[in-house]
Amino acid sequence: MSQLLLEIFGWLGYLERPAVVMQLSLVVALMLGTRAARRRRLLARLPVAGYSPVGLGLLALSAGLLGLLRQPTGLLQLLGAVWLGWYALQLLHRLLALWLPAQASHQLESRLLRPAYLVIAVMAVVREVDSLNDLAVAPLGELFGTQISAGKLFQAVVVIYVVLVGCGPPAAGLAWLVQRAVGMSEGSRKAMELMLRYAVVGLGLVAVAVHLGLNTTALIAVAGGLSVGLGFGIKEVFSNFVSGLWLLFEGSVRPGEVLMLDGDPCEVRKLGLRATLLWRDRDNAELLVPNQTFFTEAATTYTASDRMRRSQVSVGAAYHHNPAEVIALLEATARQVPRVLPDPAPKALLLSYGDSAINYALRFWIANPMDNVGICSEVNQAIWHAFKDNNIEIPFPQQVEYSMVWPPEQHRPNTEHH
Amino acid sequence: MMSALHAAMAKHSGIRATPQRRRVAVVSLSCAFGLTGCAGGIELPSLLYLAVGTNSDQTIDAELVEDIGARLKLLESSFRQIYPSTRFQFAAYPEDEIKPAMARRNGAGLGPDLLLINGDTAKQLVNAGLADPFPLTPTLANLFNPGDLERLRLPNGDLAGLPVIIHSQLACFNRKRLPDPPSTLQELLEASAKGQNIGLSIELSTLFWTAGSLGATDAWLRVVQDKRLSREDVNSIENWTTWLQNASDQQRITFYPNQASALTEFSTGRLDWISCSSTNLPRLRKSLGASLGVSNLPSGPGGSASPINRLRVLALGRSSSRQGRARALAFSRFSVNPLVQRSITLGSQVLLPANRFVKVPVQSSGTLQAMSDSQEASLRTAELANLLHVDDPRLDRAQTLITQLVFGEISPQGAAKALIALMEAKP
């Protein structure tokens, strides 16, 4: 490690060379100048995206002038190319926004394109000042008796990163194919996709360890030691991870499932390594719930065997209406609401005799548990219209007020005054 | 101090120093100070950038880099006694890739101060404007064999580089399997007949030693000099090609496509005898330990072998600053002084000094004796080496003919005829 750091520190010595300082100064000055000009809008007619090309043009002009003076310009050209590439990435951002959804475009840029570009740019600059071969074999230290070099570590990091970031689309594609072939449900497809990703990441990590030449016996010994550490130190993290895997295999908490959380139906969006991401329709909130919560606590789900939910609205009708007529009207009304399932048929019940009304319940089935509140609203509106059309009264609570005389022995009922 | 500067800047410009502006100011000032190196207390390291060329039988791996680093470390520590603050930083490049690498680095002003490369490569680089000629003083010139300097001269008289060390071509053998190394080509064939595994590289530069043993070097010199060949000359060349094809027919003599493959096989114990370069010895010692034996290449009916030794030189890079060039010249002069040359030779036991006044203590080591003998034998090919350069296009075509000969695709007579015709033609 110290050798590599010394090597990198040694590059500072190039600043002793006037030609290097001249090139670097030009690039830094033009980049900062372009940035300042863009922030202050010095060229009023120029769009924001037009400042970088102006800066790049000036850089090319400077390189040409230095070339005429027979001064080295390779570094200037390289840094200019890096700048140009970065600018091209910004242009690409606009194109990607046209083709891909915002989130996918953002992920592609931030997780793949920009990191890859930065790595390539840094390697290109390093190649100017040193031999990449030399740097690649620079020893960093020993790991389980294996000498780790900078190149090996770099390759390992790149492979792990690419596996972590890049295994998503292939896993999704394979899961989609299997879904089409076998006819599995959407939730199972998503579960399979996640399991494939975990499998690829696991295999990738093992492949990297083998590539590094790590001693497998030592790895097993370390894994044994780690298991004790896991028991004490990071057991929560590990417990959540294992819970997540278990839930995936069990199939009770998969992306797309609907669970009740604090009385609200929530849809599972993502089953992560540590936590499950749920979406609550009521307020569009996204909830991160540790996986082990679902593993250790009881949960209500509407999507375990099917996605149907039986819903209910309550309503009161005046005492003078025939309950049989009200019940028939309620059931007929529910059947007319489009999002109420005809089968099983809606069912109305007389629940109790209230203070001012007879209380009825109308129970019906819906296809999507997440739509419960909206469908209940539609049913309630339909009941109001049906009652109005059939002159069925939804009574207000009725109370009779009369004055009292104290002491009670002297009180005379109101009727006596009339 | 920095915050005072920022405050003063903000006050002067009338702009309120927001955190973002402050960040930009810090970056700008740091860049400015960093680039100019004028920040109080910040002193740029005094570095000597070296590019080291590696030959085709060397793979740039951790072991080689460590080996080069260790040798340079010895020189660096001695050099720092005179120039205390100087540090070395080296980058290794395969010799055949060094030209484009230097073109790229020089183009950016980031080329090395010094290049430790083969003499031939140095001439190519100076010719291509990628290295500066070495300013040789009469005192310095006196340290070297005139022949060595002559080989490094360009047509305009400039010196491509300062000779520093010599890599010798030797024979390496496994003592456990082959207690007595073959001293003649006949003994080499007999050893193979007795079951010893012999490895030869098909590369012309590493195979040419056999031409000396078979008495073909003088004939080859006359071919390259475009002199009229006698019947004996043609016969000697045919003898050489015949021996090569006969050798390839032997069951236990294997020709490898390159020297690196032969070295790998030898270091893993699958071969008992190979020709090797003195630069390979540290690695072979690590893998074979005391089993490694080093001897002269086998002689033959035509005399001693004709090893091709490599004269390594220090060439001046073109991107150095004034101080960098001064350091490069100081180190070049330092590296050829007798004391340093002697310590290089004794310390590594794999290099010979270029300074002719440094006597190699051959009595102290069989390896040094073999290297010294190899150096003497290589004088037979010095004139030929002077006429043929590594970038000569005829050598590529000659390599193809040798490959065809070894694989039996052409007859020894046909190969000899084609080789003569090829080398007689001017490139």
Side-chain angles (χ1 to χ4, degrees):
Chain A
M1 192 69 189
S2 58
Q3 189 185 328
L4 188 67
L5 291 176
L6 268 176
E7 192 88 5
I8 292 168
F9 178 71
W11 298 340
L12 282 177
Y14 287 113
L15 294 176
E16 186 187 73
R17 300 179 178 181
V20 175
V21 174
M22 169 67 80
Q23 292 176 83
L24 284 176
S25 303
L26 271 171
V27 173
V28 171
L30 282 170
M31 288 179 96
L32 290 177
T34 306
R35 182 189 156 91
R38 186 172 52 226
R39 283 169 62 84
R40 295 181 186 179
R41 297 291 181 86
L42 288 184
L43 303 170
R45 290 185 182 176
L46 200 64
V48 173
Y51 281 87
S52 289
V54 172
L56 283 163
L58 288 173
L59 194 70
L61 198 65
S62 311
L65 284 174
L66 281 180
L68 284 177
L69 295 170
R70 295 185 174 278
Q71 291 296 311
T73 57
L75 187 60
L76 197 65
Q77 289 175 32
L78 176 68
L79 294 176
V82 170
W83 186 5
L84 180 66
W86 193 253
Y87 177 66
L89 272 183
Q90 287 172 349
L91 295 182
L92 186 67
H93 168 78
R94 297 179 185 188
L95 285 176
L96 287 176
L98 294 177
W99 297 331
L100 294 173
Q103 196 187 356
S105 158
H106 175 73
Q107 283 189 351
L108 181 65
E109 276 186 87
S110 63
R111 293 186 185 177
L112 195 64
L113 295 180
R114 285 176 188 245
Y117 182 77
L118 285 176
V119 167
I120 291 168
V122 167
M123 282 176 72
V125 173
V126 170
R127 195 162 162 257
E128 292 292 306
V129 294
D130 217 319
S131 160
L132 287 177
N133 271 346
D134 278 18
L135 289 177
V137 298
L140 295 181
E142 273 198 7
L143 190 64
F144 307 137
T146 305
Q147 190 76 40
I148 303 293
S149 64
K152 268 189 176 178
L153 185 70
F154 176 75
Q155 282 178 350
V157 170
V158 167
V159 169
I160 290 174
Y161 187 80
V162 168
V163 165
L164 282 175
V165 173
C167 70
L174 189 59
W176 179 80
L177 280 176
V178 174
Q179 184 193 26
R180 299 282 298 217
V182 181
M184 61 172 64
S185 69
E186 185 65 12
S188 300
R189 182 188 68 76
K190 289 184 178 174
M192 187 182 179
E193 180 188 330
L194 262 179
M195 283 188 276
L196 280 172
R197 285 186 70 171
Y198 288 155
V200 171
V201 169
L203 285 173
L205 289 176
V206 172
V208 164
V210 170
H211 171 72
L212 287 176
L214 297 184
N215 184 349
T216 45
T217 315
L219 276 180
I220 291 166
V222 168
L226 264 181
S227 60
V228 178
L230 289 172
F232 292 104
I234 51 170
K235 72 175 176 121
E236 293 299 322
V237 176
F238 197 66
S239 164
N240 279 316
F241 173 66
V242 174
S243 301
L245 287 180
W246 186 273
L247 291 170
L248 268 180
F249 280 109
E250 193 182 65
S252 54
V253 180
R254 289 173 175 172
E257 302 278 335
V258 177
L259 300 169
M260 290 298 283
L261 205 71
D262 300 331
D264 289 311
C266 299
E267 186 182 315
V268 178
R269 282 281 166 91
K270 190 175 155 191
L271 190 60
L273 285 175
R274 186 193 71 81
T276 305
L277 183 72
L278 295 123
W279 173 66
R280 189 166 63 198
D281 182 36
R282 173 166 61 82
D283 52 0
N284 191 33
E286 287 184 311
L287 313 172
L288 270 172
V289 183
N291 291 335
Q292 62 175 344
T293 309
F294 299 109
F295 194 70
T296 54
E297 291 178 12
T300 306
T301 175
Y302 286 108
T303 47
S305 49
D306 58 51
R307 291 187 66 83
M308 292 200 303
R309 174 180 176 172
R310 202 204 68 181
S311 193
Q312 173 177 307
V313 295
S314 300
V315 65
Y319 270 88
H320 56 268
H321 299 301
N322 183 347
E325 288 176 9
V326 174
I327 284 171
L329 180 64
L330 283 172
E331 288 177 351
T333 305
R335 278 195 294 273
Q336 286 166 7
V337 175
R339 288 200 287 170
V340 170
L341 293 175
D343 184 34
K347 179 77 180 163
L349 300 165
L350 190 156
L351 285 186
S352 62
Y353 294 100
D355 292 337
S356 50
I358 299 175
N359 295 320
Y360 298 91
L362 175 57
R363 292 174 178 174
F364 50 90
W365 292 77
I366 60 174
N368 186 353
M370 295 301 289
D371 295 340
N372 180 50
V373 177
I375 296 174
C376 285
S377 166
E378 289 169 16
V379 171
N380 277 326
Q381 288 179 57
I383 290 171
W384 187 88
H385 287 293
F387 277 18
K388 189 184 174 193
D389 294 345
N390 291 280
N391 294 319
I392 291 176
E393 181 190 358
I394 300 174
F396 294 104
Q398 294 180 13
Q399 290 177 328
V400 178
E401 288 185 4
Y402 59 92
S403 54
M404 289 282 290
V405 177
W406 195 262
E409 292 76 23
Q410 295 173 9
H411 177 67
R412 297 285 181 273
N414 286 354
T415 49
E416 288 182 11
H417 296 293
H418 296 291
Chain B
M1 180 194 161
M2 289 297 251
S3 54
L5 250 171
H6 298 144
M9 278 173 60
K11 193 177 172 185
H12 179 70
S13 59
I15 298 166
R16 195 165 151 259
T18 61
Q20 199 167 8
R21 286 208 172 97
R22 270 200 293 272
R23 274 202 302 275
V24 172
V26 168
V27 171
S28 318
L29 285 171
S30 308
C31 288
F33 282 153
L35 291 179
T36 53
C38 64
I42 296 175
E43 196 176 325
L44 291 173
S46 176
L47 274 135
L48 184 66
Y49 295 101
L50 266 165
V52 180
T54 61
N55 292 313
S56 60
D57 56 351
Q58 294 176 301
T59 311
I60 299 177
D61 55 13
E63 211 173 321
L64 181 71
V65 171
E66 190 186 343
D67 191 37
I68 296 172
R71 277 186 222 162
L72 281 174
K73 197 84 184 165
L74 288 174
L75 282 175
E76 184 183 343
S77 55
S78 310
F79 188 63
R80 284 175 75 153
Q81 290 174 0
I82 308 168
Y83 300 92
S85 59
T86 307
R87 276 203 322 110
F88 288 14
Q89 186 155 325
F90 73 92
Y93 296 93
E95 199 93 5
D96 51 354
E97 292 173 19
I98 207 163
K99 206 170 166 182
M102 288 309 111
R104 196 182 61 246
R105 286 185 61 175
N106 283 351
L110 295 165
D113 296 312
L114 272 177
L115 299 100
L116 180 60
I117 45 181
N118 293 334
D120 254 8
T121 312
K123 286 170 84 170
Q124 283 181 46
L125 289 181
V126 175
N127 273 331
L130 298 172
D132 280 338
F134 200 93
L136 192 67
T137 59
T139 318
L140 210 51
N142 186 43
L143 297 175
F144 308 103
N145 288 319
D148 288 345
L149 289 180
E150 204 49 47
R151 281 207 293 280
L152 294 170
R153 293 269 181 210
L154 298 167
N156 62 4
D158 284 341
L159 191 72
L162 188 72
V164 189
I165 46 176
I166 296 160
H167 291 170
S168 316
Q169 195 180 13
L170 305 160
C172 291
F173 61 97
N174 189 329
R175 288 183 193 278
K176 281 184 185 166
R177 301 263 307 148
L178 194 64
D180 299 312
S183 57
T184 63
L185 288 179
Q186 186 55 37
E187 285 178 18
L188 187 72
L189 294 178
E190 284 168 9
S192 80
K194 284 179 187 166
Q196 313 294 344
N197 295 313
I198 311 295
L200 290 170
S201 161
I202 213 164
E203 285 171 341
L204 188 55
S205 58
T206 48
L207 196 58
F208 194 75
W209 63 269
T210 50
S213 308
L214 291 155
T217 47
D218 291 342
W220 276 122
L221 181 60
R222 277 190 281 279
V223 172
V224 175
Q225 285 173 333
D226 206 13
K227 288 184 179 169
R228 188 178 179 81
L229 293 184
S230 64
R231 187 62 236 168
E232 287 75 28
D233 288 333
V234 176
N235 285 344
S236 64
I237 291 173
E238 281 181 1
N239 282 344
W240 179 56
T241 53
T242 305
W243 187 89
L244 287 177
Q245 199 164 67
N246 284 342
S248 77
D249 291 340
Q250 302 297 310
Q251 200 175 355
R252 292 193 178 272
I253 295 183
T254 310
F255 279 83
Y256 290 88
N258 51 55
Q259 181 68 7
S261 308
L263 278 167
T264 307
E265 292 294 292
F266 180 71
S267 63
T268 50
R270 286 193 284 270
L271 288 176
D272 305 323
W273 187 98
I274 58 168
S275 68
C276 60
S277 164
S278 58
T279 53
N280 305 136
L281 296 181
R283 186 171 292 209
L284 293 175
R285 276 180 194 141
K286 272 187 189 170
S287 55
L288 293 173
S291 303
L292 176 69
V294 179
S295 68
N296 295 332
L297 289 163
S299 57
S304 65
S306 50
I308 294 185
N309 292 348
R310 294 187 190 279
L311 183 63
R312 303 281 283 177
V313 304
L314 282 172
L316 292 171
R318 298 206 65 184
S319 304
S320 301
S321 62
R322 193 172 45 79
Q323 303 95 311
R325 175 55 62 88
R327 278 195 291 272
L329 287 171
F331 175 69
S332 303
R333 286 190 294 268
F334 173 81
S335 62
V336 294
N337 84 50
L339 196 65
V340 173
Q341 289 267 295
R342 189 176 165 78
S343 74
I344 289 173
T345 308
L346 289 177
S348 67
Q349 300 264 323
V350 296
L351 305 167
L352 286 177
N355 187 324
R356 64 186 170 129
F357 296 112
V358 177
K359 297 298 171 209
V360 182
V362 291
Q363 304 295 334
S364 64
S365 155
T367 305
L368 287 178
Q369 175 72 61
M371 286 162 60
S372 179
D373 291 346
S374 170
Q375 179 57 13
E376 202 171 311
S378 75
L379 297 177
R380 292 181 66 183
T381 52
E383 203 173 347
L384 187 61
N386 208 20
L387 293 169
L388 281 174
H389 300 290
V390 284
D391 58 341
D392 193 317
R394 291 177 294 180
L395 292 179
D396 284 340
R397 294 205 292 270
Q399 181 64 63
T400 309
L401 287 169
I402 294 291
T403 309
Q404 288 173 329
L405 169 74
V406 167
F407 283 101
E409 285 190 19
I410 51 176
S411 67
Q413 292 74 23
K417 195 177 170 186
L419 281 168
I420 291 168
L422 172 69
M423 300 310 281
E424 276 177 343
K426 291 289 170 198

